Amino acid sequence: MFRAQISALVFGVGGFGALVAATASNEWKVTTRASSVITATWVYQGLWMNCAGTALGSFHCRPHFTIFKVEGYIQACRGLMIAAVSLGFFGSIFALFGMKCTKVGGSDKAKAKIACLAGIVFILSGLCSMTGCSLYANKITTEFFDPLFVEQKYELGAALFIGWAGASLCIIGGVIFCFSISDNNKAPRMGYTYNGATSIMSSRTKYHGGEDFKTTNPSKQFDKNAYV
């Protein structure tokens, strides 16, 4: 169980880092190679900035100054990626509390519940990132293969592949965290036998080597002849 939690933590934290890199990247879509060879310029667009570069090595980036002029699918992808990063952050915190090697989190039963919660959060983070990247990629491919689309066509950028990879890592780590509870439930329990309550007389008998106590009538001890 400990090794499974370590591997799940590595997958989850690694996926969270990939999601942060994909969200901050400006290479969600790039201009096609055919047009780049002719014009010797490259255009990169991300969720937050649009960048252009030339063959001489100069780059210029311009952020999206207003949210109202941004297309709807970009706003949806922003929300999904921000949700994915936020869930990945909280999933990493819950995972640290749910590890058996840490001293915080309470008993083993409480740690198992926290680890399961971390797994669910990681899975939700991966699903949000997978949905956002797939939505953005679907928009790019639809415009690229549309013969009636006459504007600049783009290809899939590196940030999309990083986002898909991070989503896969988060989902794998979350599944491992969820299944780690079954190992905790299969742990053997100590059995105790009940021998029954022992009386004080029996304990005294065992203490004196098995000799029985003989009780005498106090009236016989104090006979009438004793006072004559």
Side-chain angles (χ1 to χ4, degrees):
M1 180 179 179
F2 177 71
R3 293 182 179 179
Q5 286 186 344
I6 289 294
S7 60
L9 182 63
V10 171
F11 280 116
V13 174
F16 168 67
L19 295 184
V20 173
T23 305
S25 177
N26 295 322
E27 296 186 14
W28 280 66
K29 62 180 180 180
V30 297
T31 53
T32 59
R33 300 302 178 185
S35 61
S36 300
V37 172
I38 298 173
T39 59
T41 58
W42 295 268
V43 178
Y44 304 91
Q45 291 190 9
L47 298 178
W48 316 101
M49 291 185 180
N50 295 333
C51 299
T54 63
L56 300 177
S58 61
F59 288 90
H60 176 71
C61 295
R62 180 179 59 85
H64 301 295
F65 293 105
T66 177
I67 193 175
F68 298 104
K69 291 184 179 181
V70 180
E71 298 184 31
Y73 76 97
I74 297 180
Q75 295 182 7
C77 292
R78 281 180 176 180
L80 289 171
M81 295 306 296
I82 291 174
V85 171
S86 301
L87 290 172
F89 173 76
F90 288 110
S92 301
I93 299 298
F94 292 149
L96 292 177
F97 280 94
M99 297 289 291
K100 294 191 69 175
C101 59
T102 58
K103 296 183 180 180
V104 293
S107 61
D108 291 341
K109 187 175 181 180
K111 283 179 173 291
K113 293 181 180 180
I114 297 175
C116 181
L117 178 61
I120 295 174
V121 173
F122 272 130
I123 292 174
L124 292 177
S125 175
L127 291 177
C128 288
S129 176
M130 190 75 70
T131 304
C133 294
S134 300
L135 178 63
Y136 202 97
N138 178 64
K139 181 66 175 179
I140 295 173
T141 53
T142 302
E143 293 178 351
F144 187 85
F145 292 104
D146 187 5
L148 301 178
F149 188 77
V150 296
E151 297 182 6
Q152 178 66 53
K153 294 184 178 182
Y154 295 89
E155 294 180 352
L156 302 180
L160 292 175
F161 299 99
I162 296 175
W164 281 323
S168 301
L169 291 177
C170 286
I171 293 175
I172 293 173
V175 171
I176 295 176
F177 265 122
C178 291
F179 279 99
S180 65
I181 303 179
S182 60
D183 298 335
N184 190 25
N185 294 331
K186 292 180 182 178
R189 296 182 178 180
M190 298 296 296
Y192 298 94
T193 57
Y194 178 70
N195 295 326
T198 57
S199 61
I200 300 176
M201 185 61 69
S202 61
S203 62
R204 289 180 179 178
T205 303
K206 294 179 181 178
Y207 179 77
H208 288 282
E211 297 180 355
D212 295 335
F213 282 90
K214 295 181 180 181
T215 58
T216 57
N217 191 357
S219 61
K220 292 183 180 181
Q221 294 178 0
F222 300 98
D223 197 9
K224 294 180 180 180
N225 296 326
Y227 297 96
V228 177

